[in-house]
Amino acid sequence: YLAADPDREGEAIAWHLAHALGLDGEGKCRLEFHEITREAVRAALADPRRVDMFRVNAQQARRVLDRLVGYKLSPLLWRKVRPGLSAGRVQSVAVRLVCDREDEINSFVAQEYWTVETQLETGEGRRFAARLVQVGEEKPSLATEEQAQAVVRELEGAKFVVSSVKERERRRNAAPPFITSSLQQEASRKLGFSVRKTMFVAQQLYEGLDIGDGKR
């Protein structure tokens, strides 16, 4: 019986082993279980199956793509980033996305724009900020300080009236639980922690910290 991991790579390993050991490729020699417990192993033994050639072929295609893409991209990463990095199907796409984004950033042309705001007051004395969004049916062009000042001069001494009030409910979902990558990102963004420090603190929290009264 062959009980490699229940994924494409495990299926390919089982297929190679079947050939190396001279097993019947069409025989039911493949076991699949997702936990190493007595019940799971016995259930797999009671219901063996054939090697899944769809998974095997998927793994073979994956290896070919690694060789076509990764073997050519990895040396570039060694020269441009640091030695020892590897690139494959996923990493090559990620590098392309990063490069495309970098090109967009470099080609971005900054444009000046201005906003016009005023402080209004309700009959009850509550103050609130109001921003100009359109003049008549058109959105004003405020690309320079002169254009913004011209709009301000037109509004000086004007009488402001609230014509309508729209209320709507917004629902915000709680952020998902941290995974390793998101934990490292938030720790770097909010606390300036390095990856090493983040994982060290996380391990301390997992093991428990002495808080001074003998409890952990």
Side-chain angles (χ1 to χ4, degrees):
Y1 290 110
L2 304 173
D5 289 345
D7 56 12
R8 292 175 301 183
E9 188 173 7
E11 205 72 22
I13 291 172
W15 179 71
H16 284 292
L17 284 174
H19 282 268
L21 299 173
L23 302 178
D24 182 7
E26 296 298 322
K28 294 185 176 182
C29 60
R30 179 76 165 101
L31 302 183
E32 181 175 342
F33 47 86
H34 299 267
E35 58 184 37
I36 305 178
T37 62
R38 181 191 301 267
E39 293 76 13
V41 174
R42 283 185 170 178
L45 285 167
D47 187 26
R49 62 171 175 81
R50 296 183 177 88
V51 175
D52 187 347
M53 291 306 300
F54 288 106
R55 295 186 189 178
V56 175
N57 291 332
Q59 174 64 18
Q60 298 290 70
R62 172 181 171 181
R63 293 180 62 197
V64 170
L65 285 174
D66 273 340
R67 283 157 175 74
L68 292 175
V69 179
Y71 284 17
K72 296 181 179 180
L73 186 59
S74 294
L76 175 64
L77 295 182
W78 301 342
R79 294 194 302 270
K80 299 297 184 180
V81 184
R82 63 179 174 84
L85 294 176
S86 64
R89 307 163 316 283
V90 177
Q91 299 96 323
S92 60
V93 177
V95 171
R96 174 61 182 271
L97 292 174
V98 171
C99 292
D100 288 347
R101 183 60 176 166
E102 187 70 16
D103 290 340
E104 291 181 9
I105 294 173
N106 292 333
S107 61
F108 175 76
V109 179
Q111 295 181 343
E112 180 181 357
Y113 71 94
W114 290 70
T115 59
V116 175
E117 292 185 353
T118 184
Q119 291 289 327
L120 303 180
E121 186 174 302
T122 66
E124 294 80 16
R126 293 169 51 190
R127 298 178 64 86
F128 63 94
R131 177 178 296 180
L132 177 68
V133 294
Q134 68 182 44
V135 177
E137 299 296 328
E138 298 182 358
K139 184 177 181 180
S141 176
L142 304 177
T144 64
E145 181 180 3
E146 290 75 16
Q147 292 176 334
Q149 291 293 350
V151 173
V152 171
R153 286 193 294 269
E154 290 181 11
L155 295 176
E156 288 179 352
K159 181 180 180 181
F160 296 96
V161 178
V162 177
S163 60
S164 64
V165 176
K166 295 182 180 179
E167 293 186 2
R168 57 184 176 181
E169 180 178 331
R170 288 188 177 182
R171 181 172 299 176
R172 296 183 61 184
N173 297 324
F178 279 130
I179 58 176
T180 301
S181 59
S182 59
L183 173 65
Q184 293 171 350
Q185 291 167 3
E186 284 295 288
S188 175
R189 184 172 65 88
K190 293 184 177 180
L191 303 175
F193 283 7
S194 65
V195 172
R196 182 183 182 89
K197 183 174 182 179
T198 300
M199 300 314 298
F200 176 74
V201 173
Q203 182 64 26
Q204 284 185 313
L205 293 173
Y206 176 76
E207 294 174 354
L209 295 173
D210 189 354
I211 58 176
D213 60 356
K215 297 181 180 180
R216 296 179 70 86

